[in-house]
Amino acid sequence: MNTKVQQCAAVLLSLVVSASALSSLTMGVGNTFGRVFRISTWGESHGGGVGVVLDGCPPRIPVTREEVQVDLDRRRPGQSRITTPRNEADAVEIMSGLTPDGITLGTPIAMLVRNKDQRSSDYLDNDMKVAYRPSHADATYDAKYGVRAIAGGGRSSARETIGRVAAGAIARKILHMYNGIEVLAYVSKVQDITATNIDDDTFTMEDVDSNIVRCPDPESAERMLARIDEIRKQGNSIGGVVTCVARNVPAGLGAPVFDKLEADLAKACMSIPAAKGFESGDGFEGTLLTGKEHNDEFYIDPVTGATRTKTNRSGGIQGGITNGENVVVHVAFKPTSTIGQAQETVTRDGQQVELRGKGRHDPCVLPRAVPMVEAMVALTLVDHLMMQDAQCSLLPNEASADDLPNPMGSTAVREGGPRQFVEVADEGPVSQRVDEE
């Protein structure tokens, strides 16, 4: 092969590789989430506004602005003394994707929330203009892009999550219509104070929102509030854990290898600002148990005939696929990085200085993180529902009822009730030889 032919082949190969790479890019690298039910968020904390484009939403779903606003009101700043005092109404405007009477068209849904109460002088008229806040994204954004939005932190601000929560409200509606699925989160831990007396099967959103901490156990909430107030008055911040429960999720969502449901849930929740840890089911606590203690034993529901589990240490997911029990995840959030106490840091040009944070910030992100976690879990579940339908429901399974696996999960029902078996003598446990790598 002569030199010119080799050069032409190299150029063609590079063009193919470049085209392949470009085809995999989505709106602004890192600003899009989801495969079929997909969101792209945009806007900065102190810009003109923030919002989202939701693509892949099924048609013919009734959606009102008021339904979306409910979740945004739970997320918005200025709710109480333990949230940032920034006063924003966060009134959503739905710009596209609906008929005049509020029915989804199946086309992209654009939603906008305009910024009204940004105070950029809190950032630009003091040392925060040139000094990096410790453990904040200031320094890493600058290292990546060579430029950053100083006022409000730009895209690293929790204000970016407005778009997620708005789209999550629509996802919540779809889940409810599909199978009565509920996605509810609550503050389960503040520093070392752990909530008790909470039943994952029965707590309600009203229970969660009955106090400003968003913990459905009143006694635990009082102790958490006292700790947050103590830290807040010191000009400091505090972290903890948000637990999210998804009820009535059918069995079969997820995939066995790279697209395991808990893997996608982890990515979804860890993308929330200040998130630093994720657990599915018992998570790290499960490492303290033996297999016998940790395994969720199966049984047949005497009423529905469905396959159920006696416990739920798996958090409703086994092998990356839902088993029809409650999906339970826990998300750890670090203390807010911007605090009113003096800290050592450096400036953009490499000088060591002392910085005291200015502006309006949450002393504890947890109460407002609750609707953020709910939104990301709801978005992930709808995405997996649509993928499951596309792959496994495209063609009907025409096997006889006797050849199908027994229905599984809390909402499943076996036609005709539990299968009837003839009693046989008890010969002890069934022995199996299992070879697994």
Side-chain angles (χ1 to χ4, degrees):
M1 183 182 293
N2 61 40
T3 304
K4 283 190 175 181
V5 173
Q6 288 177 325
Q7 289 174 340
C8 288
V11 169
L12 285 172
L13 179 60
S14 68
L15 287 173
V16 169
V17 171
S18 298
S20 175
L22 285 172
S23 68
S24 68
L25 294 178
T26 52
M27 171 186 157
V29 178
N31 298 304
T32 298
F33 177 82
R35 297 178 184 83
V36 182
F37 193 79
R38 178 159 31 189
I39 64 167
S40 294
T41 68
W42 48 268
E44 288 79 39
S45 175
H46 284 211
V50 292
V52 65
V53 175
L54 168 60
D55 203 2
C57 181
R60 302 182 303 280
I61 295 173
V63 173
T64 67
R65 194 197 77 83
E66 289 72 24
E67 287 173 318
V68 177
Q69 194 64 49
V70 167
D71 280 355
L72 288 175
D73 287 345
R74 298 176 71 227
R75 193 224 71 93
R76 78 176 188 86
Q79 297 179 37
S80 70
R81 68 179 184 271
I82 60 171
T83 64
T84 170
R86 179 170 173 171
N87 185 22
E88 296 278 7
D90 286 354
V92 66
E93 302 173 37
I94 303 178
M95 315 296 289
S96 67
L98 301 183
T99 65
D101 52 348
I103 304 298
T104 59
L105 292 166
T107 55
I109 299 172
M111 291 180 279
L112 162 69
V113 169
R114 301 180 191 275
N115 295 327
K116 301 287 187 180
D117 189 38
Q118 60 267 52
R119 291 202 319 227
S120 299
S121 60
D122 287 345
Y123 298 81
L124 302 179
D125 294 345
N126 55 61
D127 292 340
M128 288 173 66
K129 181 176 181 179
V130 294
Y132 298 133
R133 287 169 284 178
S135 287
H136 197 278
D138 292 341
T140 51
Y141 265 56
D142 219 355
K144 179 177 178 64
Y145 298 108
V147 64
R148 66 186 177 96
I150 297 170
R155 292 287 286 165
S156 67
S157 167
R159 194 142 184 82
E160 176 273 332
T161 63
I162 283 175
R164 308 172 188 229
V165 173
I170 296 177
R172 188 193 294 276
K173 181 76 175 282
I174 294 170
L175 292 172
H176 181 74
M177 292 175 65
Y178 180 82
N179 199 49
I181 299 171
E182 293 181 289
V183 179
L184 298 173
Y186 63 92
V187 175
S188 56
K189 191 172 185 179
V190 171
Q191 211 169 46
D192 60 342
I193 302 172
T194 302
T196 56
N197 303 317
I198 298 172
D199 186 341
D200 285 348
D201 289 325
T202 60
F203 80 90
T204 65
M205 185 179 290
E206 289 72 24
D207 295 332
V208 174
D209 291 346
S210 65
N211 57 74
I212 60 177
V213 179
R214 288 213 164 95
C215 173
D217 176 51
E219 292 184 8
S220 300
E222 286 184 15
R223 292 190 293 121
M224 291 173 176
L225 180 58
R227 179 68 60 82
I228 296 171
D229 273 336
E230 176 188 349
I231 297 295
R232 175 179 63 88
K233 291 172 183 176
Q234 298 170 4
N236 213 338
S237 62
I238 195 171
V241 177
V242 170
T243 293
C244 188
V245 180
R247 302 174 187 147
N248 302 329
V249 178
L253 304 188
V257 187
F258 299 115
D259 295 334
K260 292 183 177 183
L261 181 60
E262 68 259 62
D264 282 351
L265 286 171
K267 178 177 181 178
C269 293
M270 289 296 288
S271 73
I272 300 171
K276 281 295 183 181
F278 177 88
E279 293 182 336
S280 174
D282 274 5
F284 290 106
E285 288 187 7
T287 64
L288 306 176
L289 306 177
T290 65
K292 175 66 174 175
E293 293 167 330
H294 188 269
N295 289 344
D296 296 318
E297 294 185 344
F298 291 112
Y299 74 100
I300 299 300
D301 189 301
V303 176
T304 66
T307 300
R308 301 289 307 278
T309 62
K310 295 179 180 179
T311 54
N312 192 27
R313 298 186 185 94
S314 302
I317 303 172
Q318 295 170 336
I321 301 169
T322 56
N323 64 5
E325 305 296 332
N326 290 343
V327 172
V328 183
V329 300
H330 312 277
V331 188
F333 289 88
K334 71 181 181 72
T336 316
S337 54
T338 308
I339 60 174
Q341 296 189 11
Q343 301 179 89
E344 292 184 357
T345 187
V346 299
T347 61
R348 195 173 194 267
D349 60 359
Q351 298 181 59
Q352 296 188 97
V353 297
E354 189 177 77
L355 176 69
R356 190 185 303 273
K358 301 286 195 269
R360 297 163 294 176
H361 306 278
D362 298 85
C364 179
V365 301
L366 297 171
R368 295 207 298 138
V370 164
M372 300 175 196
V373 172
E374 290 175 350
M376 295 311 297
V377 170
L379 290 166
T380 305
L381 288 176
V382 171
D383 201 31
H384 274 268
L385 273 172
M386 295 178 73
M387 289 189 288
Q388 169 71 7
D389 194 64
Q391 181 188 18
C392 298
S393 300
L394 182 65
L395 300 175
N397 187 340
E398 296 178 348
S400 67
D402 288 339
D403 290 332
L404 293 172
N406 197 56
M408 174 181 283
S410 61
T411 62
V413 177
R414 177 181 176 81
E415 187 175 346
R419 187 192 294 265
Q420 300 300 314
F421 292 98
V422 178
E423 288 287 341
V424 296
D426 184 7
E427 298 179 356
V430 176
S431 178
Q432 290 183 316
R433 182 178 183 274
V434 180
D435 289 320
E436 290 182 319
E437 185 179 29

